[in-house]
Amino acid sequence: MKKIILAALALFVLPATVQADHHNETAKKNIVETAISAKFNTLVAAVKAGGLVETLSGEGPFTVFAPTDEAFDKLPEGTLDSLLKPENKDQLVAILKYHVVSGKVPAKTVVTLDSAETLGGKVSIEVKDGTVILNDKVKVVKTDVMASNGIIHVIDSVILPPSK
């Protein structure tokens, strides 16, 4: 009976230990390294094209609202390819900066805010049915992915800065 109880406990404790180890391993990587590990391929390509790798690998801290590859796929056809061209670097950088907040802003703080000042302007924040919504339409789908120099919150669409 003791062996059965111990085996059952091991089933619960082992996954928690593995998860904790993975969390600690991720926190050793900076935001860019974490994005690479998490396979944010399009975001990483955009950060490279925008020349922001060094900045987002730096001391920080930063909070990044990171669009998934599928989020970038929602952009109108040809938009991403156009943004990645060297002649459109300024526009790409403006969009990327609109996803970055200076400082560490964990989910428990995000849900108390009605807006956040990003490096590219103000983003509105609203909580609807337990889901954080940015600028009335972009959903936060995963929170608090820890990096050594900040936090990543995963979003389902690219946030576009207001037109000037």
Side-chain angles (χ1 to χ4, degrees):
M1 181 69 162
K2 249 186 193 176
K3 286 182 182 178
I4 293 172
I5 292 171
L6 289 174
L9 283 173
L11 289 174
F12 292 103
V13 173
L14 184 60
T17 305
V18 170
Q19 187 175 10
D21 288 345
H22 173 69
H23 177 76
N24 290 338
E25 176 187 317
T26 302
K28 292 178 186 172
K29 297 176 182 175
N30 65 45
I31 286 174
V32 174
E33 293 166 337
T34 301
I36 291 168
S37 293
K39 304 212 181 325
F40 284 89
N41 301 324
T42 308
L43 177 61
V44 171
V47 166
K48 287 179 180 176
L52 297 175
V53 171
E54 188 175 327
T55 301
L56 292 175
S57 297
E59 189 175 320
F62 303 104
T63 299
V64 176
F65 291 103
T68 61
D69 287 353
E70 294 78 17
F72 280 100
D73 290 343
K74 292 180 182 180
L75 291 171
E77 190 172 333
T79 301
L80 181 62
D81 290 336
S82 176
L83 286 170
L84 294 175
K85 291 180 179 175
E87 61 268 23
N88 295 324
K89 182 178 177 179
D90 289 346
Q91 186 180 5
L92 174 63
V93 169
I95 292 169
L96 292 172
K97 284 183 172 182
Y98 198 58
H99 291 78
V100 181
V101 175
S102 181
K104 261 186 172 176
V105 188
K108 68 181 182 181
T109 301
V110 171
V111 298
T112 67
L113 303 173
D114 59 5
S115 66
E117 192 63 42
T118 71
L119 300 180
K122 191 176 278 196
V123 172
S124 69
I125 299 172
E126 185 178 6
V127 180
K128 288 183 183 174
D129 300 323
T131 300
V132 174
I133 310 288
L134 307 176
N135 286 357
D136 299 321
K137 58 185 171 197
V138 177
K139 293 179 184 175
V140 176
V141 295
K142 185 174 182 179
T143 61
D144 294 341
V145 177
M146 298 303 192
S148 63
N149 63 341
I151 298 174
I152 297 172
H153 301 303
V154 182
I155 56 177
D156 72 346
S157 298
V158 175
I159 318 168
L160 297 175
S163 306
K164 292 184 180 176

